Amino acid sequence: MTAPINYSGTGEWLRNEGPDHDVVVSSRVRLARNLSGFDFVNRADRVERTHLVALAREHLNACTDPFGLEKTWMEVDRLEVLDRCLLAERHLISKDMIKGSEPRAVMVNTAESVSVMVNEEDHYRIQAIQSGFRLTEAFDAVNNLDDQLDEKVQYAFHNRFGYLTACPTNVGTGIRISVMLHLPALTLTGEIERVRRAARDMVLAIRGFYGEGTDAHGDLYQVSNQTTLGKSEAELLAEFNERIIPAVIEYERQARQVMVSKRSTVLEDRCYRALGILTHARIIKAAEAMKLLSHLRLGIELGRITTIPVSTVNQLLLHCQPAHLQRIVGHPLHQSKRSAARADLIRTALSDCDL
Amino acid sequence: MTAPINYSGTGEWLRNEGPDHDVVVSSRVRLARNLSGFDFVNRADRVERTHLVALAREHLNACTDPFGLEKTWMEVDRLEVLDRCLLAERHLISKDMIKGSEPRAVMVNTAESVSVMVNEEDHYRIQAIQSGFRLTEAFDAVNNLDDQLDEKVQYAFHNRFGYLTACPTNVGTGIRISVMLHLPALTLTGEIERVRRAARDMVLAIRGFYGEGTDAHGDLYQVSNQTTLGKSEAELLAEFNERIIPAVIEYERQARQVMVSKRSTVLEDRCYRALGILTHARIIKAAEAMKLLSHLRLGIELGRITTIPVSTVNQLLLHCQPAHLQRIVGHPLHQSKRSAARADLIRTALSDCDL
């Protein structure tokens, strides 16, 4: 079964719109929810999981999309592996949902701004993504869907602990707020380490492009809360909205300004070299491509490169991932062939920008 | 005093003509000679050195250039340091001749195919360079000049040891045969180490671009004999002409063919990346520039890049050296400014090739 996803676009999270999109790529809020009277997913057998998927389908179909859009229902275990990878690359399902044959599903709206994973770690993982710095909109969207579901099902809820989740770090509000930041200047100057330390002190997690344990490919960093107990959803949201993210934005912008004013040749060298390699290489690995696309994006943001739209760069960031690459080429590619196909894809896309 | 050298050209050694010039950049023969009745240079005082320079001028002026060309006489200690560096970068004087204020000189013909250093390590260092694999022509040229000088002066010669020289490794024939080879394919595959070992076994020296103790910038290697005792000049020449150099040429060509037939994408990636970086970088150090120019040259030799003449690459190899760079820019450049000027120079030269 092939995923009914238009993989040629970038989806919501790389749309490059919204407030502060020069630094904030996207804002994401997700809620972890479980149904009362059912085992947690990791303890549920196949029959129970199948039942949970059927229930979820019924209830989610009965909900209205928070943005008023059409929705698509996909039973992930019935999709080709390549399509599961495609969904993960688009941040619509987690990496953990790719493997295995257990019944599980995802509901996605047409803008890819809302997705609900069923039988991931929890029965429901409700997430909303908005491009740019728009946590409140994402927060409102998940709450809207959460409220609708709450009318239809009985959530596992404890008066003292709050929402019960499979992993203790999610117990309480079950909320995770994540902001994807593009921090090339802080990375170039090495100041990113100070940001990392500050985040650790605030019990925040900083992760790379694809969540836990991944490097910050493309100078993209995901900042999120680590625990959900002890603070209300509103307090956490306010902390991100008013304190944490504005501070990082300011810090990155200062670093960019220093590059523009005091290290402008270094900056130009960096972004033009990236352009030169991307438009000429015949073999390129995903990590290198993302690093260079990030430098190119910085050059565009700072007005040094004017012939290439940021949207092209964002699209390439996504399209040079393995599953997208293979879908675009139209057939599976052995790992050894992907670097050449990726280089061709990038070269074609950038030469279309009329250099 | 400014050196009367047309630094915009490349001189003989980078002219890229002659037999086997795809691998053999240039062929050089030099003779070490000393005058009887004078101290060796390192033991001579200023008065004696001045006398030696005056004598040399008189005798060399009385000689005919082996190629029938005009000659230029330069008293190196009276030249600006930048010009001395320029002469060294053009392989017309040795690096050792740059420093100090002791009287010393060089006579160069207009093609830069013949130069005679006076008061380098020996009273005379007579050298001839020919582009491509033309050792015999170079050998004939130095012998011609040597014979002419021999009629005018009394060489320090010992019946048993042969020509006496300041350094024992030159005693005997005083000959050094050097061949500058471009070995990018052997370098890329790592097989160059086998060449190095084979050379060591044959008591040959393999050095980088600028002689002793320098790295092989630009994949350019200089192969030369280490000792001069025990073999006649003709034997040594025959060994280079018939055995050593043809073997390395064959070995490099085989490595190139393997790249073309079995690793053609890797090859194209290498040379196009080089082109991309060279046409886009804003800052580039000499060593990186030479490495990339070497990859570009390989791409041209193997027909992968057709828009750029090899002569442009060779010219850039020389012009991106510090002294040339400063002469071309027209004023001295602090080290920190050279990388930017070098990048500009390269970009301009390659964009003139109508990419």
Side-chain angles (χ1 to χ4, degrees):
Chain A
M1 197 183 199
T2 302
I5 286 288
N6 172 18
Y7 54 77
S8 66
T10 56
E12 176 65 24
W13 77 275
L14 270 171
R15 203 156 50 86
N16 205 57
E17 288 182 9
D20 306 308
H21 68 256
D22 56 323
V23 178
V24 183
V25 175
S26 60
S27 307
R28 183 164 68 106
V29 178
R30 75 108 170 99
L31 299 175
R33 295 290 184 260
N34 289 277
L35 301 188
S36 177
F38 290 84
D39 289 317
F40 283 137
V41 178
N42 61 344
R43 304 193 57 170
D45 61 16
R46 194 170 180 89
V47 174
E48 197 173 8
R49 292 191 197 200
T50 305
H51 186 40
L52 281 161
V53 167
L55 266 183
R57 180 171 195 170
E58 182 191 330
H59 294 138
L60 288 169
N61 268 337
C63 294
T64 312
D65 177 67
F67 297 102
L69 298 170
E70 295 292 309
K71 299 165 301 191
T72 305
W73 171 260
M74 289 174 269
E75 293 184 8
V76 177
D77 50 302
R78 299 176 63 187
L79 293 177
E80 290 174 18
V81 173
L82 197 58
D83 273 327
R84 302 179 197 173
C85 294
L86 195 85
L87 293 175
E89 288 174 2
R90 299 180 82 79
H91 292 208
L92 297 172
I93 66 172
S94 66
K95 272 197 164 176
D96 287 341
M97 276 186 90
I98 296 173
K99 283 189 191 158
S101 62
E102 295 300 315
R104 58 202 186 282
V106 66
M107 202 198 62
V108 179
N109 74 356
T110 50
E112 300 178 26
S113 55
V114 173
S115 78
V116 184
M117 289 174 254
V118 179
N119 288 354
E120 205 253 16
E121 190 177 278
D122 297 295
H123 297 152
Y124 294 103
R125 287 278 175 103
I126 307 167
Q127 73 166 14
I129 302 182
Q130 293 282 277
S131 70
F133 188 20
R134 289 190 293 173
L135 276 175
T136 306
E137 285 88 331
F139 182 80
D140 290 346
V142 292
N143 277 338
N144 172 304
L145 200 52
D146 186 42
D147 290 346
Q148 292 188 61
L149 272 174
D150 203 8
E151 290 170 11
K152 297 170 182 63
V153 302
Q154 179 76 43
Y155 280 147
F157 187 84
H158 184 281
N159 280 335
R160 183 154 158 237
F161 297 129
Y163 292 101
L164 299 177
T165 54
C167 178
T169 56
N170 290 314
V171 168
T173 57
I175 199 171
R176 172 159 287 168
I177 293 179
S178 308
V179 180
M180 180 75 79
L181 299 157
H182 186 228
L183 306 177
L186 291 174
T187 305
L188 284 177
T189 61
E191 289 166 280
I192 194 70
E193 284 313 312
R194 284 174 59 193
V195 177
R196 278 187 194 277
R197 279 197 299 274
R200 228 178 7 243
D201 294 346
M202 291 190 283
V203 203
L204 295 172
I206 291 208
R207 302 191 181 87
F209 194 49
Y210 283 110
E212 304 188 33
T214 62
D215 286 340
H217 288 317
D219 306 326
L220 289 168
Y221 298 83
Q222 192 170 292
V223 178
S224 54
N225 61 308
Q226 295 238 48
T227 57
T228 65
L229 261 178
K231 273 181 191 153
S232 75
E233 294 155 319
E235 281 170 347
L236 201 60
L237 182 68
E239 211 171 82
F240 269 80
N241 265 340
E242 288 156 31
R243 207 160 65 85
I244 299 165
I245 303 304
V248 184
I249 293 174
E250 183 55 27
Y251 201 28
E252 166 69 17
R253 283 190 185 144
Q254 276 173 9
R256 291 185 189 183
Q257 275 318 307
V258 169
M259 293 205 78
V260 168
S261 60
K262 299 200 178 134
R263 302 178 68 199
S264 101
T265 313
V266 172
L267 168 67
E268 291 196 0
D269 183 58
R270 196 73 65 134
C271 57
Y272 275 103
R273 271 177 185 253
L275 181 60
I277 297 171
L278 291 167
T279 52
H280 286 78
R282 261 56 179 171
I283 297 172
I284 195 162
K285 293 196 171 162
E288 188 194 6
M290 294 185 67
K291 187 186 79 181
L292 297 174
L293 287 167
S294 165
H295 293 168
L296 190 54
R297 194 178 193 271
L298 179 66
I300 298 169
E301 294 291 358
L302 298 183
R304 287 301 183 278
I305 289 176
T306 54
T307 49
I308 298 168
V310 178
S311 58
T312 301
V313 177
N314 286 344
Q315 195 173 47
L316 284 174
L317 270 175
L318 193 57
H319 288 187
C320 72
Q321 304 305 317
H324 276 81
L325 186 62
Q326 292 175 78
R327 273 285 170 254
I328 290 165
V329 170
H331 53 81
L333 285 170
H334 186 265
Q335 192 136 17
S336 65
K337 303 284 182 193
R338 286 181 208 157
S339 296
R342 183 178 295 112
D344 289 345
L345 177 78
I346 294 172
R347 244 181 19 259
T348 308
L350 293 181
S351 70
D352 282 351
C353 293
D354 195 27
L355 292 177
Chain B
M1 198 184 198
T2 301
I5 286 288
N6 172 18
Y7 54 77
S8 66
T10 55
E12 175 65 23
W13 77 275
L14 270 172
R15 203 155 51 87
N16 204 57
E17 290 183 9
D20 305 306
H21 68 256
D22 57 322
V23 179
V24 182
V25 175
S26 60
S27 307
R28 183 165 67 106
V29 177
R30 75 108 172 97
L31 300 175
R33 294 287 184 263
N34 288 277
L35 301 187
S36 176
F38 290 85
D39 287 316
F40 284 136
V41 178
N42 61 343
R43 305 194 58 171
D45 62 15
R46 196 170 178 89
V47 173
E48 198 173 7
R49 292 190 195 201
T50 307
H51 185 40
L52 281 161
V53 167
L55 264 183
R57 180 171 198 171
E58 182 191 329
H59 293 137
L60 287 169
N61 268 338
C63 293
T64 312
D65 177 67
F67 296 102
L69 299 170
E70 293 293 308
K71 297 165 301 188
T72 305
W73 172 261
M74 290 173 268
E75 292 183 10
V76 177
D77 50 301
R78 299 176 63 186
L79 293 178
E80 291 173 18
V81 172
L82 196 58
D83 273 327
R84 300 179 197 174
C85 295
L86 195 85
L87 292 176
E89 288 174 1
R90 300 180 81 79
H91 292 206
L92 297 172
I93 66 172
S94 66
K95 272 196 163 175
D96 287 341
M97 277 187 90
I98 296 173
K99 283 186 191 157
S101 62
E102 295 301 315
R104 59 203 184 281
V106 65
M107 200 197 65
V108 178
N109 74 355
T110 49
E112 300 178 24
S113 55
V114 173
S115 78
V116 183
M117 290 174 253
V118 179
N119 287 355
E120 206 253 15
E121 190 177 281
D122 297 294
H123 297 152
Y124 293 103
R125 287 276 175 106
I126 306 166
Q127 74 167 14
I129 302 182
Q130 293 283 278
S131 70
F133 188 20
R134 289 191 292 174
L135 275 175
T136 306
E137 286 88 331
F139 182 81
D140 290 346
V142 291
N143 276 338
N144 171 303
L145 200 53
D146 184 44
D147 290 346
Q148 292 188 61
L149 273 173
D150 202 9
E151 289 170 12
K152 297 171 180 61
V153 302
Q154 179 75 44
Y155 280 148
F157 187 84
H158 184 281
N159 279 335
R160 185 156 156 233
F161 297 129
Y163 292 101
L164 299 178
T165 54
C167 177
T169 57
N170 291 313
V171 167
T173 56
I175 199 170
R176 172 160 285 170
I177 294 178
S178 309
V179 179
M180 181 76 79
L181 299 158
H182 186 229
L183 306 177
L186 291 174
T187 306
L188 284 177
T189 60
E191 290 166 279
I192 193 72
E193 284 314 312
R194 284 174 58 193
V195 177
R196 278 188 194 277
R197 279 197 299 275
R200 224 174 17 238
D201 294 346
M202 291 190 284
V203 205
L204 296 172
I206 291 207
R207 303 189 180 88
F209 195 50
Y210 282 111
E212 303 189 31
T214 61
D215 286 339
H217 288 316
D219 307 326
L220 289 169
Y221 298 83
Q222 193 169 292
V223 178
S224 54
N225 62 306
Q226 295 237 50
T227 57
T228 64
L229 260 179
K231 275 180 190 152
S232 76
E233 295 156 318
E235 279 169 348
L236 200 59
L237 182 67
E239 211 170 84
F240 269 79
N241 266 341
E242 288 156 31
R243 205 159 67 85
I244 300 165
I245 303 305
V248 184
I249 293 175
E250 184 56 27
Y251 200 27
E252 167 69 17
R253 283 189 185 145
Q254 276 172 10
R256 291 185 189 184
Q257 275 318 307
V258 170
M259 294 205 77
V260 167
S261 60
K262 299 200 179 132
R263 303 180 68 200
S264 97
T265 314
V266 172
L267 169 68
E268 289 194 1
D269 184 58
R270 196 73 67 133
C271 58
Y272 275 103
R273 273 178 183 252
L275 180 61
I277 297 171
L278 290 167
T279 52
H280 287 78
R282 264 52 180 173
I283 299 173
I284 195 162
K285 293 196 171 162
E288 188 194 5
M290 292 184 69
K291 188 185 77 180
L292 297 174
L293 287 167
S294 165
H295 293 169
L296 190 54
R297 194 179 193 272
L298 179 66
I300 299 169
E301 294 290 359
L302 297 183
R304 287 301 181 278
I305 289 176
T306 54
T307 49
I308 297 168
V310 178
S311 58
T312 301
V313 177
N314 286 343
Q315 195 173 47
L316 284 174
L317 270 175
L318 193 58
H319 288 187
C320 72
Q321 305 304 319
H324 276 80
L325 186 63
Q326 293 175 79
R327 272 287 170 253
I328 290 165
V329 169
H331 52 82
L333 286 170
H334 185 264
Q335 192 137 16
S336 65
K337 304 284 182 193
R338 285 181 208 158
S339 296
R342 183 178 296 113
D344 289 344
L345 177 78
I346 293 171
R347 242 178 24 258
T348 308
L350 293 181
S351 69
D352 283 351
C353 293
D354 193 28
L355 290 178

